[in-house]
Amino acid sequence: MIYVVFVEPETPGNIGFLARTMKNFGLINLVLINPCKLENESYYQAMHARDVVTNLQTYDSLKEFLILKQIDSAVATTGTAGGSYNVTRIAITPEQLADSINYNGNLALIFGREGNGLSNKEIALCDVIVSIPTHENYPILNITHAAAIIFYELFKREKSYPVDRLEAATSYEKESLMDYMDEIILKLGYPPHKSNNASIVFKRIIERAFISGREAHTLKGTLRRIKSRIKEINNNEEV
């Protein structure tokens, strides 16, 4: 299931515009995080997507939504992507997202505030970051324009998914991979900031790949062997 999440929308009209854009591409699950008050303008601007507004869900925080809806993949959108040395904001394009995404499980496409987008803390809760390449003279897109581009890239490939007989890795399986990797990183003796960056990078790679349950199982076995081998080496050194 795909959820479209709008974090702290500031104007009721934009809620309607987003609902309208969603319906253009067959999306119906709208979620608002700590929104402004809904008004008639939300329904008016939604036009033939008023049912999307009527059936929307609200939550007090993004974290609460991700937990309660058991989101398997959370995709943050940003107009300010990071470079190679800003690992928390390294982003992919909508086309790259559409090429790798698997519709199995619960997917959340998360859009930030009209004024300043998503905070670093909110982005840190997400698995993948998407940014739309724009001209440097005016790089920030209106939320509905950005949403339309991302929705289009997903929609035009929908006939290719889901992949037959391929079950995506669950949140639990991916978290288990992260736990093993974090234990390995800890044993390597990295400084805290490097350990944190290494953990973030591994998480991003796992989510971009949209790995299957079988792939997660195989990778977990490999990490387990690495962890065991490191333990053997450390024990031999202590003798």
Side-chain angles (χ1 to χ4, degrees), residues 12 24 39 63 83 87 93 103 125 132 152 157 175 190 216 226:
N24 286 146
E39 297 178 0
K63 185 175 183 179
V87 295
T93 65
Y103 284 122
L125 294 173
I132 300 170
Y152 167 71
R157 289 167 173 79
E175 288 172 5
Y190 278 162
I226 292 172

Side-chain angles (χ1 to χ4, degrees), residues 34-48:
N34 189 26
C36 61
K37 184 179 179 181
L38 280 178
E39 297 178 0
N40 289 337
E41 187 181 2
S42 298
Y43 296 91
Y44 176 77
Q45 298 298 355
M47 299 292 286
H48 296 293

Side-chain angles (χ1 to χ4, degrees), residues 72-73 97 99-107 127-128 161 163 165-179 181 201-223:
D72 297 297
S73 295
L97 175 68
D99 283 339
S100 58
I101 202 170
N102 191 313
Y103 284 122
N104 291 326
N106 292 327
L107 170 70
D127 305 303
V128 182
Y161 295 96
V163 178
R165 299 178 184 176
L166 180 62
E167 295 184 2
T170 64
S171 295
Y172 174 79
E173 289 171 326
K174 288 183 284 189
E175 288 172 5
S176 182
L177 284 177
M178 283 303 309
D179 289 340
M181 178 54 75
V201 168
F202 183 73
K203 179 181 179 181
R204 297 284 191 242
I205 291 172
I206 291 299
E207 290 300 338
R208 287 179 197 163
F210 289 94
I211 64 174
S212 68
R214 181 60 186 171
E215 289 169 330
H217 178 76
T218 301
L219 183 54
K220 183 177 178 179
T222 301
L223 294 177

Side-chain angles (χ1 to χ4, degrees), residues 50-62:
R50 289 170 186 164
D51 58 313
V52 175
V53 177
T54 299
N55 296 318
L56 65 78
Q57 303 174 52
T58 62
Y59 293 85
D60 292 332
S61 71
L62 179 59

Side-chain angles (χ1 to χ4, degrees), residues 78-80 131-142:
T78 180
T80 310
S131 187
I132 300 170
T134 52
H135 197 278
E136 63 272 14
N137 287 350
Y138 194 20
I140 305 300
L141 288 167
N142 177 281

